[in-house]
Each structure stands twice: as structure tokens, then as C-alpha cells.
Amino acid sequence: MRSDLSMFRRSRKFYRLVFCAGLAMILLPAALSYGQSTSEYESQPNAGEALAPLVDGPPLTAREEEMLRLIKGLQERVARLEARDGSGESGVKAAAQGDYEGGTSARLLEAAVVSQRSTRVSDSASLAGPTFHRGVNGASGVGTTSTNQVEEAPKKWGDYTPNFGYKVANTEFGDMNISIYTYAKYLNQKNLAPTYTNYFGATSTLQRRQDVQLTKLQIKFLGWIMNPKMRYFLYAWSSNASQGLGAQVVLAGNLNFKFNDYFTLSGGIRSLPGTRSVEGNFPFWLGVDSRLISDEFFRPSYTSGIWASGKIAKTLQYQAMVGNNLSTLGVSAAQLDNRFNTVSSVLMWQPTTGEFGAGFGDFENHQKLATRLAGHYTTSTETAQEQPGQDSFENTQIRLSDGTVIFTPNIFGPGIRVNKLRYQMTSIDGGFKYHGWAFEGEGFWRWLNDFEGPGTAGIPTRTDTGYQLQLSMMPIQKRLQLYSGGSQVLGQYGNPYDARIGANWFPYKNRVLRWNTEALYLFRSPVGYTSVPFALGGKGMVFHTTLELAF
């Protein structure tokens, strides 16, 4: 009889435990939803019934306290049932210690409510941004908690893309990246000849510089707005070496709408694509912000206008632009003529791989031979009034091969002055890249005619030609690049040339940071201004070393 009674009691105990466990499992989802959906209008607990707040969090809400009281009552009820049915057996001890299935289920339910509460608080904090806590000594710090001072990993947010900078906004209406380009340069021109005499016999004294400059600073804002195909590129651009000159600080940019891979329509300020270096591959050149003198002599510059770009086929791309003039920086709208007669275009063919990497040199380390062939054409009717000042920042002027600006009065004879002309220029470039090696060359042809002004009727067409060659290699991939290059202008008023050797060191195996060192020889340079290492009329050696940041 006693054994039957014992068996009956054990079966009652088992069913009670099953019932309590089932009840706990039923209440678990409700507890979780209770912890997540609170209302500001819910009733507050009685003053004497308030539960202690969580150790690491704000005070519990009324619904959370109610759920914890319900769980606690369930624990106590199960404990009483176990104590009464076990009468003197190990059940009393188990109930007192809470080491039973019903109590465990209830504690799991309580832990779930607490965990859900903690997770919700943690998620809210992480969405709001990094949390700054007070350390043991009262100082503010990141990654410490106010109670147990347990150090956490620092929080990070935002994305970074090389040459596109840091993403600071990403919304359903658009995004924004901020990118910075700058470099510090040491320049030594003391080995140049002190004077220069041009073709027409005018002698000038060269300023042979030796200085350190934060030469250029560009802050770029880029992204899309309202539609991912509607993109903007806005920037502030300053040349500290050109302080006090025209267009020393430039605020510019452009807007672009990409219909598809074959057609993007853009408007604003950009470089006319008349040579390879002004297609949009800046700053990925072998030297830092410095072209060879033939490229500098022939190329057009930046202007306002509209342009189209895209693919014709997988290996064939184009750019075409209609602009105000050859060089708009430092020129006000009142100085421009009222005709859109500046047109520049390029057709690029990359037959073997369909791409040629970013700019000059094989930093990408092409494993398959990459090739390129491109043709450019630019035409513009220019007046003396719409030309920038002779030493303005980042501008080009139309010069003869000895460096004389063609609008200078009396250069073709007494009383002769060119006020207007037509500029036409064609260039063809090509090259290959393979396993860190790159060979790139470009030829230039320029015609100046249709002169207008006093005494200009008898001036014939002025034709100049030129070329440039560049060879580079990467003896240490992604780290060290060595290069050499040279160019020459061939014209009626002289045949100036330059040659250079240099090295680029990439400490982080990317193009974000590089240290460039270069030595160049100039022979009667036909171009030069303060933001480039060569001086107008310079003859002799120039040395410069530069630390460049482009993120």
C-alpha cells in the first residue's frame, strides 16, 4: 500500500512538473512580446511591490515588472507543491535550492525577459552611435561600462573606398562621400640658369625657387541624390603655392546622369579631354601632379560645359564635350564670347583586356597584356580677352614653342597684335601594361590660324608638333615603382625638351599614400608656373620630393 501511495505521489509530482514546464513554455513568447511592446499609458506598480532594476540598464517598465512578479509567483508555487509532496524527502531540499525542472523553466523564462530587455537597450544604443562611458578615474573613455568597468572593443562605423573617401551619409534619398587630395612638396630649382632669352630676343630673369609647400589641397564631395543614376561631384581646390594669383581657390564640380553604360550626360566644370592626362585619370600619374612639358604645352585645360561619355562596345569608349573656352579658371563670364565653339573629344580602344587600369604605370600588375590606343581632337576659337592671366593657377595659355604667349603685342612685327585665332589640336596615344611594366607614348599636332587683329592678315598658319614617352616598372609589387620619361616640342620658335627619372614608394601597398622623388632636366621649357616643378624658360636640373595623400 505504501509503495502504491509513493508511486501515486511520484506520478502527481511528474504531472505537476510537466504542467509547470508546459506553462513556462507557453508564457515564454508572451514574455518576450511583453518586453518589446510597452505603452506610456500603462499602470504603475504599487509602491511596495517595485522590483529591483537590472544591474546594467535603466529601470524596468511596468509590464516587465509584472511579468517578473508572475514568474516569481510561479517559482514559489512550484516550490510549495514540491515541499508538500516530498515531505521529508529530497524534494524539500531541491525546492529550497531551486534545482528542479519547474524552477529551471521559470528561471529560463526570467532570463529570457532580462536578455530581451538587455538586447533591446543594447541595440538602441548602437543605433544611436558610439557610447562614451566614464572610466574608474572619472575620465571619459570609449569601450568601458559604468558598473563593472569591463573594456569593450571600440565601435566603428562608415565605409571607405580608395579615391572615393569616407561615406558619411547613406539614405533612401542619396548618399555622400568625402574625399581629400593633398601633398607636401620640397622643390629645388637652384641649378637652373638664372636668365632666359626667348626667340624674339627678350631676356627675363628666372626666380629659382627652393621652398616647402603644402602645394595643393582638394576636398571632394561625391555621391548620388534622389536617384542612384543622378550623381554629383563637387570640390574645393586650392594651390597654396599660388597665393594671391587668379583662381588660387576654386569651387567647382559637375552633375551627371547615367542612363546606361553607353550614355552618361554631364554638365559643369571639367577638363577638356584633348590629351590622355585630361581624360579624368588624375592623380594617377607617374609624377605627383606634374606632366611632361610637351603635354603641358599642347593640352587644353578646365572649362564649363556639357559632355557625354560611355561605351560603344566592350573595348571601345568615348568622351565628347562642348565648352566655353580652352581654360576657364580665372576667367569671368563677362570675358567669354557668346558662342559655343570649343569642342573636345576622345575615342579609346583597349583591344586585349577591355581596360587599361587607372592612369599611368602598371600598379595593378596586369597578368594579361593590357593595350590601349586612343585619338583626341580639340578645336576652339579663342580671344585675348578670354585667356587666363599668364601665371594663373592650373591654366594653360596658347604659347609659341619658345614660351611666348601668342597674344603678346608686336611679337610678329611692330603694330601687329593677335586678338583672335582658331586653335586645333590632335593627339594619339598608345601603350601596354604587363606584369608591372608599362610603356606609354603620345604624339601631338597643333595648328593656329584664322588670326584676327591689327596687321594679322599676312600671318601664316603656325604648326607645332611634339611627343612624349614614359617607361615604368614595379620591382617590388605594390611597394616600389621606378620610372623615366622624356618629351619634346618641335616648332618654328624652338625645340624645347625635358627628361626625368623618379621613384614612387607606397608604404601601405595602395595609392592612398605615396612618397615620390624625382629629378628632371629642362631645356628652355616653354611652360611653367608656381604649382609645377618646371619654370618658364628653365634650363638645367630640378629636384623635388613629395608626400602625397589621396583618399
Side-chain angles (χ1 to χ4, degrees):
M1 181 72 177
R2 181 178 298 273
S3 103
D4 292 339
L5 182 60
S6 175
M7 181 178 298
F8 175 73
R9 286 178 177 175
R10 281 197 297 270
S11 64
R12 286 181 58 195
K13 175 181 178 181
F14 171 76
Y15 288 123
R16 286 195 185 101
L17 291 177
V18 171
F19 169 77
C20 293
L23 180 61
M25 294 176 66
I26 293 172
L27 288 176
L28 179 59
L32 295 179
S33 62
Y34 251 70
Q36 292 178 335
S37 56
T38 59
S39 170
E40 59 181 337
Y41 300 106
E42 57 198 4
S43 60
Q44 299 298 321
N46 295 331
E49 297 176 346
L51 299 179
L54 297 176
V55 175
D56 280 329
L60 297 174
T61 65
R63 293 196 178 210
E64 289 167 343
E65 291 183 353
E66 183 66 27
M67 288 303 303
L68 290 178
R69 277 194 294 273
L70 179 62
I71 294 167
K72 187 175 181 180
L74 177 62
Q75 289 176 306
E76 293 173 351
R77 183 173 180 181
V78 173
R80 286 195 300 269
L81 289 173
E82 289 290 341
R84 185 181 60 189
D85 293 336
S87 59
E89 298 179 5
S90 61
V92 176
K93 181 178 179 181
Q97 293 176 342
D99 187 17
Y100 49 88
E101 188 174 347
T104 302
S105 300
R107 290 183 183 276
L108 286 173
L109 181 58
E110 180 180 5
V113 174
V114 174
S115 174
Q116 181 69 15
R117 168 76 176 178
S118 302
T119 301
R120 183 160 51 86
V121 172
S122 175
D123 289 346
S124 300
S126 64
L127 289 173
T131 304
F132 294 85
H133 302 283
R134 295 286 174 183
V136 176
N137 58 0
S140 178
V142 179
T144 58
T145 60
S146 57
T147 55
N148 55 10
Q149 310 301 328
V150 177
E151 190 169 332
E152 300 174 355
K155 293 180 174 61
K156 296 180 175 64
W157 65 96
D159 297 324
Y160 170 71
T161 304
N163 204 44
F164 288 92
Y166 297 105
K167 179 161 287 189
V168 296
N170 189 15
T171 74
E172 60 181 318
F173 300 108
D175 68 0
M176 176 182 287
N177 285 55
I178 296 180
S179 175
I180 290 179
Y181 174 79
T182 188
Y183 60 89
K185 179 192 292 288
Y186 165 74
L187 174 65
N188 189 328
Q189 298 176 335
K190 296 183 70 174
N191 289 317
L192 293 177
T195 61
Y196 169 64
T197 303
N198 65 16
Y199 179 86
F200 302 97
T203 299
S204 58
T205 300
L206 274 66
Q207 181 184 7
R208 296 176 295 172
R209 293 168 49 197
Q210 180 179 220
D211 52 49
V212 175
Q213 297 280 348
L214 185 72
T215 307
K216 184 172 289 184
L217 173 63
Q218 184 180 23
I219 304 174
K220 299 176 285 186
F221 303 87
L222 58 161
W224 63 271
I225 188 76
M226 303 307 294
N227 185 328
K229 294 185 177 183
M230 183 68 194
R231 304 198 63 82
Y232 62 90
F233 175 51
L234 308 173
Y235 56 86
W237 196 357
S238 174
S239 174
N240 292 328
S242 305
Q243 292 283 354
L245 300 176
Q248 180 263 328
V249 176
V250 173
L251 297 176
N254 49 72
L255 302 176
N256 314 272
F257 191 88
K258 183 176 181 179
F259 291 88
N260 49 51
D261 290 340
Y262 303 98
F263 182 67
T264 297
L265 183 63
S266 308
I269 293 180
R270 67 151 288 165
S271 54
L272 290 157
T275 66
R276 185 182 169 197
S277 69
V278 284
E279 288 177 4
N281 45 45
F282 174 85
F284 302 123
W285 303 339
L286 296 177
V288 174
D289 197 22
S290 174
R291 302 172 176 87
L292 295 170
I293 65 170
S294 61
D295 189 3
E296 194 67 49
F297 177 82
F298 287 103
R299 73 173 178 90
S301 187
Y302 291 81
T303 194
S304 295
I306 57 174
W307 60 94
S309 59
K311 293 182 178 180
I312 298 175
K314 181 180 179 180
T315 61
L316 196 62
Q317 301 175 35
Y318 73 94
Q319 296 179 21
M321 181 176 184
V322 177
N324 289 335
N325 65 346
L326 285 178
S327 189
T328 200
L329 302 182
V331 177
S332 74
Q335 295 174 256
L336 301 172
D337 61 23
N338 57 1
R339 293 176 293 178
F340 290 105
N341 47 36
T342 300
V343 178
S344 185
S345 60
V346 57
L347 189 63
M348 297 167 282
W349 183 40
Q350 298 158 338
T352 56
T353 60
E355 55 79 39
F356 201 62
F360 296 78
D362 190 21
F363 183 87
E364 300 84 7
N365 190 27
H366 284 81
Q367 297 303 299
K368 182 179 179 181
L369 181 68
T371 54
R372 167 192 165 101
L373 182 65
H376 311 74
Y377 175 75
T378 304
T379 181
S380 181
T381 299
E382 294 290 300
T383 67
Q385 178 178 264
E386 63 185 358
Q387 287 289 293
Q390 183 168 333
D391 202 21
S392 290
F393 160 60
E394 192 52 34
N395 271 311
T396 57
Q397 300 81 40
I398 300 176
R399 298 177 181 270
L400 302 174
S401 59
D402 71 335
T404 302
V405 176
I406 197 169
F407 296 104
T408 303
N410 305 315
I411 58 172
F412 297 116
I416 300 177
R417 178 169 183 168
V418 176
N419 292 329
K420 188 177 181 180
L421 58 79
R422 185 185 183 196
Y423 162 102
Q424 295 182 86
M425 197 270 295
T426 295
S427 77
I428 296 176
D429 77 83
F432 70 85
K433 297 181 180 182
Y434 186 65
H435 282 202
W437 288 84
F439 178 78
E440 296 151 293
E442 189 165 8
F444 310 93
W445 296 263
R446 189 190 71 176
W447 302 269
L448 305 177
N449 54 21
D450 295 345
F451 299 102
E452 295 183 16
T456 59
I459 300 178
T461 298
R462 300 299 179 187
T463 303
D464 300 281
T465 61
Y467 65 89
Q468 65 177 7
L469 300 172
Q470 299 184 80
L471 176 66
S472 62
M473 62 175 294
M474 300 285 298
I476 305 177
Q477 287 302 322
K478 307 294 184 181
R479 285 282 193 185
L480 178 63
Q481 182 180 56
L482 304 178
Y483 66 89
S484 63
S487 72
Q488 187 173 23
V489 177
L490 304 171
Q492 181 179 345
Y493 302 96
N495 302 314
Y497 63 87
D498 69 335
R500 63 185 67 189
I501 58 172
N504 289 308
W505 176 254
F506 304 93
Y508 296 106
K509 295 186 176 182
N510 57 40
R511 284 172 154 171
V512 174
L513 188 70
R514 71 163 161 164
W515 176 28
N516 170 262
T517 299
E518 185 178 88
L520 61 147
Y521 178 79
L522 303 174
F523 179 77
R524 302 174 66 86
S525 174
V527 287
Y529 39 90
T530 54
S531 63
V532 295
F534 36 84
L536 179 63
K539 180 181 179 182
M541 292 295 300
V542 174
F543 173 81
H544 61 102
T545 184
T546 306
L547 184 65
E548 179 192 56
L549 176 66
F551 72 80

